[in-house]
């Protein structure tokens, strides 16, 4: 149905080829060879492009936001590189990109709400971290009713919970609070009422974390069905051709993405 597109929050990589009629100067070939190598290295090792296909992070991140993700931010520092590159620990409030623990072929983006050792619970939609109610200006509640599990967590699930979520509820709950184990993180969506997150599938292992979003380089108003498809469908191509200028959210272009300190 179409060509391969970016990693769906689907790797976005491009290759260019051309035909030359005569041998160019050796220096020209060398320069472009180095440039291409650096570009390929940069888009796979340093930064990576992702697209947001669902609304779990609305209204912080919208469906159709295309992101560049810093893959070095949380990389383990080496003996020399730790003095050169700005490696950092995952912090509460960071927006993180990670491999979905249930199926690592999928990539999720959520907000880190708990680091190892943290105690977390929800009471009537309000998050309590280590006994203190959080002020969360980034959160959006798009329903008014209280769900017994989603909004008062942890409690008896009213939906089917997978094995990882069940393990969390059975082995990592103390005195009505979830306790984040070592080398793991608790993540939630900003669209708190419509987010498949740690409440349902447990913790994010440290090794699953890819990086942190840096910038929205393009935002296009497209449906989830078009963005979650690993290939670019004909319908999406037609939509882009007809509505590129009207459906592009120009105000979001080159918007920097920041976490919010959660203490």
């Amino acid at each position: 149905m179409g060509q391969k597109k970016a990693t769906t929050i689907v790797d976005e990589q491009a290759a260019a080829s051309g035909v030359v009629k005569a041998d160019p100067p050796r220096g020209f070939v060398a320069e472009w060879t180095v440039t291409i190598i650096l570009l390929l290295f940069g888009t796979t090792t340093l930064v990576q492009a992702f697209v947001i296909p669902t609304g779990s992070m609305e209204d912080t991140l919208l469906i159709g936001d295309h992101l560049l993700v810093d893959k070095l931010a949380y990389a383990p520092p080496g003996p020399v590189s730790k003095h050169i590159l700005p490696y950092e620990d995952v912090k509460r409030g960071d927006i993180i990109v990670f491999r979905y623990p249930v199926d690592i072929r999928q990539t999720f983006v959520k907000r880190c709400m708990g680091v190892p050792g943290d105690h977390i619970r929800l009471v009537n939609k309000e998050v309590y971290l280590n006994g203190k109610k959080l002020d969360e200006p980034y959160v959006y509640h798009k329903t008014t009713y209280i769900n017994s599990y989603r909004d008062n967590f942890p409690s008896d699930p009213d939906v089917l919970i997978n094995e990882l979520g069940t393990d969390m509820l059975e082995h990592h709950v103390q005195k009505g609070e979830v306790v984040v184990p070592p080398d793991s993180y608790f993540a939630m969506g900003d669209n708190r009422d419509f987010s498949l997150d740690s409440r349902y599938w447990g913790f994010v292992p440290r090794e699953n974390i890819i990086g942190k979003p840096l910038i929205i380089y393009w935002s296009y108003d497209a449906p989830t069905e078009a963005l979650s498809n690993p290939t670019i469908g004909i319908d999406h191509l037609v939509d882009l051709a007809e509505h590129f200028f009207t459906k592009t959210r120009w105000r979001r272009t080159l918007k920097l993405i920041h976490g919010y300190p959660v203490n």
Side-chain angles (χ1 to χ4, degrees):
M1 282 289 290
Q3 60 210 59
K4 224 171 190 180
K5 66 176 181 181
T7 303
T8 302
I9 235 187
V10 185
D11 277 336
E12 183 173 78
Q13 307 210 9
S17 61
V19 178
V20 292
K21 296 182 179 179
D23 291 338
R26 181 182 180 88
F28 177 85
V29 173
E31 287 177 6
W32 274 102
T33 300
V34 172
T35 300
I36 291 172
I37 290 173
L38 288 175
L39 284 173
L40 291 175
F41 175 77
T43 57
T44 56
T45 305
L46 304 180
V47 297
Q48 190 169 353
F50 292 90
V51 59
I52 302 293
T54 69
S56 68
M57 282 295 289
E58 291 179 344
D59 290 338
T60 304
L61 297 173
L62 304 180
I63 297 174
D65 280 351
H66 290 65
L67 318 174
L68 289 180
V69 173
D70 179 3
K71 297 176 67 176
L72 287 180
Y74 303 129
V80 176
S81 60
K82 66 181 180 181
H83 301 293
I84 303 173
L85 297 172
Y87 298 120
E88 59 186 80
D89 293 328
V90 181
K91 302 184 296 296
R92 305 181 194 96
D94 283 356
I95 298 175
I96 57 175
V97 177
F98 57 92
R99 297 179 184 88
Y100 180 32
V102 177
D103 181 1
I104 61 172
R105 295 171 297 179
Q106 300 183 48
T107 308
F108 277 22
V109 56
K110 307 285 181 188
R111 191 178 298 273
C112 175
M113 296 303 301
V115 300
D118 280 346
H119 293 235
I120 297 172
R121 65 188 173 104
L122 277 77
V123 179
N124 294 336
K125 298 182 184 286
E126 301 283 355
V127 177
Y128 287 77
L129 175 66
N130 298 325
K132 178 182 177 182
K133 186 172 77 170
L134 296 180
D135 176 28
E136 298 188 279
Y138 46 81
V139 166
Y140 294 85
H141 291 290
K142 301 193 176 184
T143 67
T144 57
Y145 67 90
I146 299 295
N147 177 272
S148 60
Y149 180 75
R150 179 194 70 193
D151 303 323
N152 287 286
F153 171 89
S155 58
D156 293 330
D158 60 351
V159 294
L160 183 64
I161 302 294
N162 62 43
E163 292 182 5
L164 295 176
T166 299
D167 179 79
M168 172 184 65
L169 296 175
E170 290 180 351
H171 301 107
H172 299 282
V173 175
Q174 297 178 11
K175 298 180 179 179
E177 298 178 319
V178 163
V179 181
V180 184
D183 298 319
S184 301
Y185 298 86
F186 192 90
M188 300 175 72
D190 288 356
N191 185 1
R192 198 59 56 79
D193 300 337
F194 295 97
S195 175
L196 178 63
D197 54 38
S198 287
R199 291 171 290 181
Y200 302 96
W201 42 255
F203 306 106
V204 181
R206 177 64 181 84
E207 62 267 22
N208 284 36
I209 297 178
I210 296 171
K212 62 192 301 186
L214 292 175
I215 192 171
I216 299 171
Y217 66 89
W218 180 43
S219 183
Y220 188 78
D221 186 5
T224 295
E225 294 75 19
L227 299 171
S228 58
N229 192 332
T231 60
I232 301 178
I234 296 298
D235 291 344
H236 189 43
L237 287 174
V238 171
D239 183 64
L240 283 169
E242 294 180 346
H243 306 291
F244 176 83
F245 291 102
T246 57
K247 286 191 174 182
T248 292
R249 305 183 185 104
W250 297 103
R251 290 185 178 180
R252 297 183 67 78
T253 302
L254 302 183
K255 178 180 179 182
L256 297 176
I257 302 170
H258 301 287
Y260 185 89
V262 172
N263 299 304

